[in-house]
Amino acid sequence: MKTAVLITIGDEILSGNTVDTNSNFIATQLKEIGIKVLSIFTIPDEESTIVSTLAMAFEMADVVFTTGGLGPTKDDITKKAYADFFEDEMIFSDEIYEHLRAYLEKRKRLWILEHNKDQAMVLSKAKIFLNYFGTAPCMILEKNGTYCFSLPGVPYEVKPLVKDQIIPFLKEKLSLDHIVTRIVSVVDIPESILSETIEEWELALPKHISLSYLPVGTRVKLRLTASGSSQELLNTELENEITKLFLLIGENIIATQEDKIEKILGELLTEKKLTISVAESCTGGELAHLITSVSGSSNYFLGSVVTYATQKKIDLLNVNPKTVEEFTVVSEQVASEMAIGCQNLFKTDISVSTTGVAGPGKGEDGKDVGTVFYTIRIGNQETTSKLFLPHLERLDFMNFVSQKVIQDIVSLLIKK
Amino acid sequence: MKTAVLITIGDEILSGNTVDTNSNFIATQLKEIGIKVLSIFTIPDEESTIVSTLAMAFEMADVVFTTGGLGPTKDDITKKAYADFFEDEMIFSDEIYEHLRAYLEKRKRLWILEHNKDQAMVLSKAKIFLNYFGTAPCMILEKNGTYCFSLPGVPYEVKPLVKDQIIPFLKEKLSLDHIVTRIVSVVDIPESILSETIEEWELALPKHISLSYLPVGTRVKLRLTASGSSQELLNTELENEITKLFLLIGENIIATQEDKIEKILGELLTEKKLTISVAESCTGGELAHLITSVSGSSNYFLGSVVTYATQKKIDLLNVNPKTVEEFTVVSEQVASEMAIGCQNLFKTDISVSTTGVAGPGKGEDGKDVGTVFYTIRIGNQETTSKLFLPHLERLDFMNFVSQKVIQDIVSLLIKK
């Protein structure tokens, strides 16, 4: 199996100012063509460190990526390190300069061309992929059969360069094994019990099929990865293994293809031709955002409201002020009335509501931080549940609750 | 300055299934107490790799963190690697077992105790920090003056362990310099021009103050970091440098303290005692989510609607069907009517609307993917703008637009 090492160059990542999402994207893309990432090294913008890390990566892998360290204010160090490691010199590329000029002209920013012209300096041995969404090009270098790609750091520049240019290039240059992956989503069983229940099956897996456990909230994703020369055969083999898994934990499996719970929901809603709407309080828009993050969600998601202020729950969702008074705003009764109001407002088959306290700081009614009630209405049947998650920080809380609500809708729809 | 190396153990990160957010959190926490992260190594669950990476990290830094590789199904490999590297043996800890028992009992999951009891096995030389939000404890080991912390991989378990136990421990054990950081947010000037404009100032910065550029969307964050023995002196020095910066690029500066644009907005709204509401289409809840991600946002954020379906824009926001017919749903006219409708619905000082096509796939009206119009109403004054971002993937598009909208509200409020 071909292997890769990713090198992330960036003080902003080491200082915690930026989360590195490029590595994740590149790893996902490489996995799809059967290249395994051995390690990710995140290092500072220092010439000597870049050189020594490149050397280490070239010892380890068939493909090396660097991201970051390029751009008008940082170019120098990274390119010097490249020139040093590849024993090469920098030349001015007319092709890149012309591309840069056209790029800036199109964006009415030609006046910054002179300030950016050093971006047309590249190693003399480098092949170039032009960057259509930014100013720093990607250099491709080869040394002892290992390919190296220098990428900028901006995620929306990295994505098309990798997807449209690097992946096709690697497919052509390396003779790659096929990789097939299936994700089995398992709910309502703790990881330790799950691993005992399926232990025998796991031990009997053929060598070219690997299994990993990925817990996400209250769900465990089992990832099966198979590698070999025939994609069709690999598909059949994985299908067979999943069939065996169904005999062991069938009632805990909610999906066997998709990875993301919001996509699983999207497929179910599309298949069953159902519409959904959302009334949020403590999740503050995250639940709607998760649902709409799926391309095509406009076919089943009609809309949502975030009623943060209690009065808006009354005005928009027709929650009865007496219910709020009697049970407080964080209660199963209010959750239920919000869901009914939401279903009436948007006229959807399914409606969901959340009301709780994300914290930090006590909610208006004094209930403990971390409490949330949520109601799922499917047609005229409703289920209200409570979660208590005082250990989660605000954003983690919003995300955990939203994931769990969607997971519950999926479970309910499957059982129907 | 004391230094750290972070080691992330996890096939799930190398395969692209999970984004590593722990390193970011730990780096941020360490920066606050003046410990600099030199490198982050992400490696597979392999005993020999763990051992060699630990060895490399111990050569480099004063503090080493490992995250991941612990938990009921993965314990063995990581702990064996630790035992090997620290030349130690595993012992059963009654204290941890008792904690685990109490933890599971409280969660009504005592039935899984036997399956998890190996988590009470730790190195004999290790000091232990108990994990109050999960089952895997943190081991603290010391070798040649370097401290090593073994953490689980689940972010909500990592956060309190680091914040409440490890950081206070490090503060006591190491004599640390003070670190003061200021973030200056700059808009409406390209990075290359910015760097030329402030070059002289930058070159004149004293050696203990460092500067870095962090572009985020259309904003550039300038991070100034100063280290020294007197926190008060550092604060004064940074304040002076920022005053000089104002003389050069004052009209481009929108904030000098906060890092996140949604927090900058929150502070402005609180200070000016203004309320806000949101009507979203193509941003699908992300704009509301960003605003409500700030603790205390319930004081100024009254609510929002996501009107994905055109009919809901008409029903809820009172958009005129004729406007939709004449100009299409993705138009400045519809954006404007949505903002007016939103302000009437929520009775807020400020309202914002977005209408566009996040893609992929053409919108209902055939407009190009990546187009968005947004209106900001402050009182009865409104500004409508257009963005065209065809290069962004769906989620990046939603986030970019939401960030830009908030940035524009901030600019408008500052100029008022």
Side-chain angles (χ1 to χ4, degrees):
Chain A
M1 193 177 204
K2 299 290 178 183
T3 56
V5 164
L6 315 184
I7 301 173
T8 307
I9 302 168
D11 292 334
E12 67 278 18
I13 291 165
L14 295 172
S15 71
N17 262 55
T18 305
V19 175
D20 169 30
T21 55
N22 289 325
S23 299
N24 181 264
F25 179 78
I26 298 171
T28 312
Q29 292 290 314
L30 291 176
K31 193 174 63 179
E32 280 182 17
I33 58 167
I35 295 176
K36 185 179 176 175
V37 176
L38 296 178
S39 285
I40 304 167
F41 300 122
T42 306
I43 58 170
D45 294 305
E46 279 169 15
E47 201 178 322
S48 63
T49 310
I50 298 173
V51 174
S52 63
T53 310
L54 277 172
M56 184 160 66
F58 268 75
E59 287 291 313
M60 293 168 70
D62 305 300
V63 184
V64 176
F65 284 81
T66 70
T67 56
L70 300 176
T73 55
K74 282 182 179 171
D75 248 7
D76 290 357
I77 294 168
T78 309
K79 285 190 183 163
K80 261 187 212 149
Y82 262 80
D84 184 357
F85 180 72
F86 289 101
E87 295 164 336
D88 196 3
E89 51 174 17
M90 308 287 289
I91 53 161
F92 186 83
S93 157
D94 291 327
E95 184 199 2
I96 297 173
Y97 184 75
E98 178 45 37
H99 173 76
L100 189 61
R101 203 196 55 70
Y103 176 89
L104 292 172
E105 190 172 30
K106 201 174 154 190
R107 280 155 187 80
K108 302 194 173 61
R109 296 176 83 182
L110 206 48
W111 58 290
I112 69 167
L113 180 60
E114 278 311 292
H115 308 273
N116 282 261
K117 74 170 181 215
D118 281 355
Q119 302 216 299
M121 297 291 294
V122 286
L123 295 203
S124 77
K125 294 179 199 162
K127 181 179 153 63
I128 297 298
F129 286 147
L130 293 173
N131 179 350
Y132 297 97
F133 302 105
T135 53
C138 168
M139 294 189 288
I140 300 100
L141 290 142
E142 194 256 323
K143 191 172 179 174
N144 308 328
T146 292
Y147 288 100
C148 179
F149 304 89
S150 74
L151 288 161
V154 182
Y156 70 75
E157 299 177 23
V158 168
K159 284 179 183 176
L161 276 166
V162 172
K163 213 168 173 171
D164 304 337
Q165 305 195 69
I166 295 176
I167 293 291
F169 176 88
L170 286 174
K171 269 182 165 171
E172 194 196 306
K173 292 284 177 183
L174 308 172
S175 53
L176 299 169
D177 255 1
H178 283 286
I179 296 285
V180 177
T181 298
R182 291 284 294 270
I183 306 257
V184 180
S185 285
V186 183
V187 296
D188 301 329
I189 182 170
E191 191 182 337
S192 54
I193 302 288
L194 173 62
S195 79
E196 285 210 350
T197 312
I198 64 172
E199 189 176 13
E200 244 176 81
W201 166 83
E202 183 179 349
L203 291 172
L205 284 173
K207 258 203 153 177
H208 65 288
I209 300 183
S210 68
L211 174 74
S212 56
Y213 285 74
L214 312 164
V216 185
T218 62
R219 180 168 58 120
V220 179
K221 298 192 285 185
L222 297 175
R223 192 182 67 227
L224 285 158
T225 309
S227 60
S229 54
S230 157
Q231 195 163 7
E232 209 186 325
L233 185 63
L234 296 174
N235 277 325
T236 312
E237 284 184 306
L238 286 189
E239 195 58 52
N240 289 343
E241 292 304 337
I242 291 171
T243 306
K244 290 182 207 162
L245 209 47
F246 260 95
L247 297 176
L248 299 169
I249 50 162
E251 62 194 29
N252 300 105
I253 295 175
I254 59 167
T256 64
Q257 293 279 4
E258 261 308 332
D259 178 356
K260 294 195 167 148
I261 196 75
E262 59 272 25
K263 286 203 176 171
I264 298 172
L265 175 69
E267 287 182 359
L268 272 171
L269 293 177
T270 306
E271 181 198 315
K272 292 176 186 281
K273 296 194 172 58
L274 296 172
T275 56
I276 192 167
S277 61
V278 175
E280 300 182 64
S281 185
C282 61
T283 44
E286 168 75 343
L287 182 52
H289 177 54
L290 258 182
I291 296 174
T292 61
S293 70
V294 179
S295 171
S297 50
S298 57
N299 292 325
Y300 48 81
F301 176 81
L302 298 196
S304 74
V305 289
V306 180
T307 50
Y308 236 42
T310 301
Q311 189 59 43
K312 300 301 163 195
K313 294 183 179 70
I314 296 166
D315 296 348
L316 267 74
L317 296 171
N318 217 11
V319 169
N320 191 331
K322 282 185 188 154
T323 312
V324 177
E325 209 173 296
E326 189 172 350
F327 300 102
T328 80
V329 72
V330 180
S331 61
E332 53 179 296
Q333 291 81 4
V334 168
S336 167
E337 292 189 11
M338 285 172 70
I340 295 169
C342 181
Q343 206 175 27
N344 288 334
L345 191 62
F346 289 101
K347 315 242 175 337
T348 48
D349 303 308
I350 303 173
S351 70
V352 208
S353 67
T354 64
T355 179
V357 188
K362 300 271 175 185
E364 7 181 326
D365 62 336
K367 279 263 170 90
D368 277 344
V369 167
T371 304
V372 55
F373 292 91
Y374 58 95
T375 297
I376 300 169
R377 280 186 69 86
I378 303 181
N380 53 15
Q381 289 198 294
E382 75 174 50
T383 317
T384 300
S385 314
K386 181 188 177 178
L387 289 172
F388 181 55
L389 308 159
H391 54 291
L392 294 187
E393 298 203 348
R394 191 174 179 85
L395 278 174
D396 296 333
F397 173 88
M398 289 172 159
N399 186 261
F400 188 104
V401 173
S402 300
Q403 295 263 358
K404 177 74 168 100
V405 169
I406 295 179
Q407 185 177 309
D408 282 7
I409 306 172
V410 167
S411 290
L412 286 165
L413 286 175
I414 287 174
K415 279 174 199 152
K416 266 197 176 285
Chain B
M1 194 175 201
K2 300 290 180 182
T3 56
V5 165
L6 314 185
I7 301 172
T8 306
I9 302 166
D11 293 334
E12 67 277 17
I13 290 165
L14 295 172
S15 71
N17 262 56
T18 305
V19 176
D20 170 30
T21 56
N22 288 325
S23 298
N24 181 264
F25 179 78
I26 298 170
T28 312
Q29 291 289 314
L30 291 176
K31 192 174 62 181
E32 280 183 15
I33 60 167
I35 295 176
K36 185 179 175 175
V37 175
L38 297 179
S39 285
I40 304 168
F41 300 123
T42 306
I43 58 171
D45 294 304
E46 280 168 16
E47 202 177 322
S48 63
T49 309
I50 299 172
V51 173
S52 63
T53 310
L54 277 171
M56 184 160 67
F58 268 74
E59 288 289 313
M60 295 168 68
D62 304 300
V63 184
V64 175
F65 284 81
T66 70
T67 56
L70 299 176
T73 54
K74 281 181 179 173
D75 248 7
D76 289 357
I77 294 167
T78 311
K79 285 188 183 165
K80 262 187 212 149
Y82 262 80
D84 183 356
F85 179 73
F86 290 101
E87 294 164 335
D88 195 4
E89 51 172 18
M90 308 286 287
I91 55 161
F92 185 84
S93 158
D94 290 327
E95 184 200 2
I96 297 172
Y97 183 75
E98 177 45 37
H99 173 76
L100 188 63
R101 202 196 56 70
Y103 176 89
L104 293 172
E105 191 173 28
K106 201 174 156 191
R107 280 154 187 80
K108 301 196 175 62
R109 295 176 84 182
L110 207 47
W111 57 289
I112 69 165
L113 180 60
E114 279 311 292
H115 308 274
N116 281 263
K117 76 173 182 211
D118 281 355
Q119 303 216 297
M121 296 294 293
V122 286
L123 295 202
S124 78
K125 293 178 198 161
K127 183 178 152 59
I128 297 298
F129 287 146
L130 293 173
N131 178 350
Y132 296 99
F133 302 105
T135 55
C138 167
M139 294 191 288
I140 300 103
L141 290 143
E142 194 255 323
K143 192 173 180 175
N144 309 329
T146 292
Y147 288 100
C148 178
F149 303 89
S150 73
L151 287 160
V154 181
Y156 69 76
E157 299 178 23
V158 168
K159 285 180 182 175
L161 276 166
V162 171
K163 210 168 178 173
D164 304 335
Q165 304 196 72
I166 295 175
I167 294 292
F169 176 88
L170 286 173
K171 270 181 162 169
E172 196 197 304
K173 292 285 176 183
L174 309 172
S175 52
L176 300 169
D177 256 1
H178 282 286
I179 296 285
V180 177
T181 298
R182 290 284 292 272
I183 307 258
V184 179
S185 284
V186 182
V187 297
D188 301 329
I189 183 170
E191 190 182 338
S192 54
I193 302 287
L194 174 63
S195 79
E196 285 210 349
T197 313
I198 65 172
E199 189 176 13
E200 242 176 84
W201 165 84
E202 182 180 350
L203 291 171
L205 284 174
K207 258 205 153 175
H208 65 288
I209 299 183
S210 68
L211 174 75
S212 55
Y213 286 72
L214 311 166
V216 185
T218 60
R219 180 168 56 121
V220 178
K221 299 191 287 185
L222 297 175
R223 192 183 67 227
L224 285 157
T225 309
S227 61
S229 55
S230 158
Q231 195 163 7
E232 210 186 321
L233 185 63
L234 296 174
N235 276 324
T236 312
E237 285 183 306
L238 286 189
E239 194 59 52
N240 289 343
E241 293 303 338
I242 291 171
T243 306
K244 290 182 208 162
L245 210 47
F246 260 95
L247 296 175
L248 299 169
I249 49 161
E251 62 195 27
N252 300 104
I253 295 175
I254 59 165
T256 64
Q257 293 279 3
E258 260 309 333
D259 178 355
K260 294 195 166 149
I261 195 75
E262 59 272 22
K263 285 201 176 174
I264 298 172
L265 175 69
E267 287 180 359
L268 273 171
L269 293 176
T270 306
E271 182 198 316
K272 293 178 185 278
K273 294 196 174 61
L274 296 171
T275 55
I276 192 167
S277 60
V278 175
E280 300 182 62
S281 185
C282 62
T283 45
E286 169 75 342
L287 182 51
H289 177 54
L290 258 184
I291 297 174
T292 61
S293 70
V294 179
S295 172
S297 51
S298 56
N299 292 323
Y300 48 81
F301 176 80
L302 297 197
S304 75
V305 287
V306 179
T307 50
Y308 236 43
T310 301
Q311 189 59 43
K312 300 301 162 191
K313 294 183 179 69
I314 297 166
D315 296 346
L316 268 74
L317 297 170
N318 217 10
V319 168
N320 192 331
K322 282 185 189 152
T323 312
V324 177
E325 210 173 298
E326 187 172 351
F327 301 101
T328 81
V329 71
V330 179
S331 62
E332 52 179 301
Q333 291 80 0
V334 168
S336 167
E337 291 190 11
M338 284 173 70
I340 295 169
C342 182
Q343 206 175 24
N344 288 335
L345 192 63
F346 289 101
K347 315 236 174 342
T348 47
D349 303 307
I350 303 172
S351 70
V352 207
S353 67
T354 64
T355 179
V357 188
K362 300 269 173 184
E364 6 181 330
D365 62 336
K367 280 264 167 87
D368 278 343
V369 167
T371 304
V372 55
F373 292 92
Y374 59 95
T375 298
I376 300 169
R377 279 185 70 85
I378 304 182
N380 53 15
Q381 290 198 294
E382 74 173 50
T383 317
T384 299
S385 314
K386 180 187 176 177
L387 289 173
F388 181 54
L389 307 159
H391 54 293
L392 294 187
E393 298 205 348
R394 190 174 179 84
L395 279 174
D396 297 334
F397 173 90
M398 289 173 160
N399 187 262
F400 188 103
V401 173
S402 301
Q403 296 262 358
K404 178 74 168 98
V405 169
I406 296 178
Q407 184 178 308
D408 282 7
I409 306 172
V410 167
S411 290
L412 287 166
L413 286 175
I414 287 174
K415 280 173 201 152
K416 269 202 174 280

